[in-house]
Amino acid sequence: PGKVPVTLLSGFLGAGKTTLLKHLLQSADGSGQKLGVIVNDMASVNVDAKLARLDAGESDAAEFVEIGDGCICCSQTDELFTTLAQLAAVSNARGYRYSHIVIEATGIAEPRAIRDQFQDAQAAGVPLLEEVELDTLVTVVDAKAFLSAYAETDAISKRPDLAANGEHDPAAFLMARFDGSLQRSVCDLLVEQVECADVLLLNKADLVDDGELSRLQQVVGALNPGASIRTCEYGDADLTEVLGVAGDEGAARVGPVDEHKAAVAAAADHSRSSHDHAEKAEHSHASHAKAETSEHSHSSHDHAAAPCADATCTDPTHDHSHDRAHSRFPIDSFVYAARRPFSPARLQTLLRDLPADVTAAIAAGNAKGGAAEEPLRNVVRSKGFLWLASSHDAAYYWSHAGAFFTAELLGRWWDTLPPEHWPEDLVESIKADFSGDDGDRRQEIVFIGMEVAKREADIKAALDACLLTDAELTDYRASDEDQRPALFPSDLRVRA
């Protein structure tokens, strides 16, 4: 038999993870499937686990293990793998095998960190990973609360209600502050939970009207074009749509760079598609789309298929590019690329124009205001590789969502390392990013938002103005790594 697939359930407190879990248990009961369930809750008293166990009753469909007073992406990492090993040992001793193992993470768990733990364990040859594997990442989204959370400016540390029931002792929540994760913005974590997922369940769909639901589908679809998007009420998703459905190209098997490249491919494909429609070329659009999308099949759709007319359909393989929801709420994207560093000071000035509340434009269902003087007004999300003139070695990652922006230090550009130090399995991918004397140093930023394709020229012009001039570039190349910070000072917020 193969490995037991593990499905991770993420989402803020109140989104409906426990309700979904209970529904999955009911579906498994009587179906012949056996589930191993790990519940991770930040509260001192693990109410969610007790509720789920109580509803399961005497059913043989599931067995539970509780992890409390910690978060599996940080303080409870070892306990998570110990618990998985215990489940595997118990099932082996009793002579049966789980159909699936389900992990319900705390509201503030970071799915990328949990995925990294599984990948590190696999690379280290941990024996447990011969029996189980992280297969599918599922994020439950509160359809009613999504836009308000996206507009949130507070850090997670100021919102314990997103992680634990306020009536419980907050000591466990406060302990998590020591690893720094609670200093992330609410919006930043929300975006990670949406982007790092194979399945997005828009729960509580009955609490929003059709227009709001259409907008939400467009936004999350733009944030994660490779995910399967489902709507549900009271967590009533089908078991076959949630557990172990990702396959070999799921989010569990990639890393941040792979995610970025998939986003770039999806945005580039979207931009080409928009251009083709605008040009109304005489050649066959269907055959062109097939040729262009063949190498990016995981994140793109085939324009040769007839447009899907079902307004309730959320199948990402269906062509919804011409439906009414898209025409009313046109979320689109493009990629900004350049091979010259940014002046940190000029870039910082431009970033002040990022919208304080981009969700106002989303909620209105149209792109408002701003021409060239406000090019970033309707950008919902932007992310990508960032090259700052303050360093020739440091590779940064630009991440903006809602009112939140940060430049994260990823490490060094590959060009700073001898090729013999590159990972053998990544050599070709690394070489593909090289160009000229500057190697893989580049600006490569995906912009997603309300009708940003119409503003592409203005956004590119604004960003081009932040690049070093020829004279500045001469000074940049003449200076060394110790001189550049003073030559090109930066007050940009950088997360190490």
Side-chain angles (χ1 to χ4, degrees):
K3 299 178 182 181
V4 178
V6 175
T7 296
L8 174 69
L9 304 182
S10 300
F12 285 153
L13 187 75
K17 298 190 301 295
T18 300
T19 305
L20 169 65
L21 179 58
K22 289 152 66 174
H23 182 79
L24 295 177
L25 294 177
Q26 294 168 358
S27 299
D29 194 9
S31 69
Q33 299 200 55
K34 184 81 169 180
L35 305 184
V37 182
I38 298 174
V39 180
N40 176 228
D41 188 272
M42 292 294 285
S44 298
V45 180
N46 213 324
V47 175
D48 282 353
K50 293 177 181 177
L51 286 175
R53 177 183 290 168
L54 178 63
D55 281 8
E58 300 300 321
S59 169
D60 291 329
E63 292 177 341
F64 289 84
V65 180
E66 301 177 43
I67 299 179
D69 295 344
C71 180
I72 57 176
C73 68
C74 44
S75 60
Q76 294 294 320
T77 300
D78 292 340
E79 187 173 350
L80 169 62
F81 284 97
T82 299
T83 302
L84 281 169
Q86 289 174 344
L87 280 174
V90 167
S91 65
N92 290 336
R94 294 178 179 176
Y96 56 77
R97 181 177 182 272
Y98 293 118
S99 306
H100 300 277
I101 293 176
V102 182
I103 301 173
E104 182 192 6
T106 179
I108 58 171
E110 302 171 351
R112 287 193 178 106
I114 298 171
R115 176 188 66 189
D116 290 347
Q117 291 165 16
F118 275 89
Q119 292 179 349
D120 291 345
Q122 180 71 48
V126 174
L128 172 64
L129 274 298
E130 295 298 319
E131 299 186 55
V132 304
E133 65 178 352
L134 183 61
D135 181 277
T136 302
L137 279 67
V138 178
T139 294
V140 183
V141 175
D142 185 333
K144 181 67 174 177
F146 179 86
L147 287 182
S148 61
Y150 206 96
E152 180 67 69
T153 58
D154 281 339
I156 298 168
S157 60
K158 296 181 180 179
R159 293 292 309 275
D161 57 299
L162 296 177
N165 193 317
E167 66 188 42
H168 298 306
D169 183 353
F173 177 81
L174 296 175
M175 284 295 291
R177 293 188 183 202
F178 289 105
D179 72 358
S181 62
L182 294 188
Q183 302 313 310
R184 295 184 66 178
S185 77
V186 171
C187 179
D188 188 35
L189 179 57
L190 174 66
V191 168
E192 175 175 331
Q193 292 180 345
V194 170
E195 291 182 340
C196 188
D198 301 294
V199 179
L200 295 171
L201 291 179
L202 309 185
N203 193 34
K204 306 183 184 180
D206 55 315
L207 300 183
V208 297
D209 60 34
D210 291 344
E212 290 176 301
L213 187 59
S214 293
R215 287 191 289 272
L216 180 56
Q217 289 172 323
Q218 288 287 317
V219 172
V220 299
L223 293 176
N224 188 344
S228 171
I229 303 172
R230 309 286 179 182
T231 60
C232 60
E233 302 172 10
Y234 301 101
D236 59 348
D238 191 275
L239 187 147
T240 60
E241 297 177 342
V242 176
L243 300 185
V245 298
D248 293 335
E249 295 187 10
R253 290 167 173 77
V254 300
V257 174
D258 303 302
E259 286 183 357
H260 169 75
K261 291 192 174 185
V264 168
D269 179 68
H270 191 288
S271 180
R272 283 193 298 266
S273 175
S274 298
H275 175 74
D276 290 341
H277 282 286
E279 292 292 325
K280 296 181 180 179
E282 294 294 328
H283 65 277
S284 169
H285 180 74
S287 61
H288 174 75
K290 284 185 177 180
E292 292 286 60
T293 59
S294 60
E295 61 180 314
H296 304 305
S297 58
H298 179 65
S299 59
S300 54
H301 55 270
D302 185 358
H303 287 256
C308 178
D310 183 357
T312 65
C313 177
T314 57
D315 189 333
T317 66
H318 290 187
D319 181 5
H320 301 102
S321 59
H322 304 290
D323 65 16
R324 290 199 308 171
H326 181 77
S327 62
R328 290 174 58 201
F329 315 116
I331 300 284
D332 46 31
S333 59
F334 74 92
V335 181
Y336 174 80
R339 291 281 178 169
R340 183 176 289 215
F342 280 131
S343 159
R346 290 200 293 277
L347 181 63
Q348 186 173 8
T349 299
L350 175 65
L351 292 175
R352 293 195 184 103
D353 292 334
L354 281 171
D357 183 9
V358 307
T359 56
I362 297 174
N366 56 22
K368 289 186 173 181
E373 69 275 8
E374 293 181 307
L376 303 180
R377 168 178 283 274
N378 293 298
V379 175
V380 174
R381 172 75 165 131
S382 55
K383 56 183 179 178
F385 289 115
L386 174 64
W387 179 14
L388 294 175
S390 52
S391 173
H392 195 61
D393 295 342
Y396 297 96
Y397 198 79
W398 164 311
S399 181
H400 152 254
F404 174 82
F405 174 86
T406 188
E408 181 177 0
L409 178 62
L410 289 181
R412 300 166 66 94
W413 295 107
W414 287 112
D415 187 51
T416 66
L417 300 175
E420 57 267 25
H421 291 171
W422 298 351
E424 291 184 6
D425 58 335
L426 296 179
V427 170
E428 293 306 315
S429 176
I430 292 172
K431 286 182 177 178
D433 292 326
F434 273 57
S435 178
D437 295 336
D438 291 314
D440 58 328
R441 297 172 185 83
R442 66 196 186 279
Q443 320 294 353
E444 189 176 66
I445 305 164
V446 177
F447 286 87
I448 302 169
M450 298 296 299
E451 297 185 329
V452 295
K454 291 184 178 180
R455 298 168 177 265
E456 181 175 349
D458 291 333
I459 294 175
K460 286 185 173 181
L463 290 168
D464 285 347
C466 297
L467 297 172
L468 295 190
T469 64
D470 290 345
E472 289 172 329
L473 188 60
T474 298
D475 292 339
Y476 171 86
R477 298 197 185 284
S479 59
D480 59 32
E481 195 68 0
D482 292 331
Q483 295 170 328
R484 290 188 182 104
L487 189 60
F488 302 101
S490 173
D491 292 326
L492 284 174
R493 178 183 177 183
V494 174
R495 186 171 68 193

